[in-house]
Amino acid sequence: MHLAYPAVLAVLLFCTGLYGVLARRNAILVLMSVELMLNAVNLNLVAFDVWLRDTLHAGQALALFTIAIAAAEIGIGLAIVLMVHRNRGTADIDRLRDNAEAPGGDEADHEQTGKKAEATA
């Protein structure tokens, strides 16, 4: 088998995953797109391992390591998304910017609160 077939398939999978990461707004779909990109990398690792006829099978070992990292990533990422959905009621990535602090941090918040208290008094 030629190396071009799995390489083209890996490129298509990676581009599809990249489009999913850049275009999607739902956090779960973004995590699924990242998994698709990691699977494309795994396909390349195994294809090049077979093509080079490596006796140590380093490509397959790296693919197993990538699968373990991907499993940990999806577990932690899904837990974060579920907690955000439970607290905010949505998994929309654009609405997560509302959680960001204002420039200046806590000091600016205390000054604004003090000014509001003086204005009402």
Side-chain angles (χ1 to χ4, degrees), residues 31 35 68-84:
L31 288 174
E35 290 293 321
I69 295 298
E73 175 258 335
I74 197 68
I76 292 171
L78 191 58
I80 292 170
V81 168
L82 287 175
M83 283 301 288
V84 167

Side-chain angles (χ1 to χ4, degrees), residues 16-90:
T16 304
L18 185 64
Y19 172 75
V21 167
L22 296 176
R24 298 292 177 192
R25 293 186 178 178
N26 190 345
I28 294 176
L29 292 177
V30 170
L31 288 174
M32 288 175 59
S33 298
V34 169
E35 290 293 321
L36 194 61
M37 292 167 61
L38 288 173
N39 285 332
V41 171
N42 285 340
L43 181 62
N44 265 335
L45 285 171
V46 173
F48 276 99
D49 182 51
V50 170
W51 184 65
L52 293 174
R53 302 187 200 293
D54 187 17
T55 56
L56 295 176
H57 299 293
Q60 294 179 19
L62 283 173
L64 286 174
F65 180 71
T66 307
I67 290 170
I69 295 298
E73 175 258 335
I74 197 68
I76 292 171
L78 191 58
I80 292 170
V81 168
L82 287 175
M83 283 301 288
V84 167
H85 185 270
R86 190 177 294 169
N87 290 335
R88 304 282 297 174
T90 183

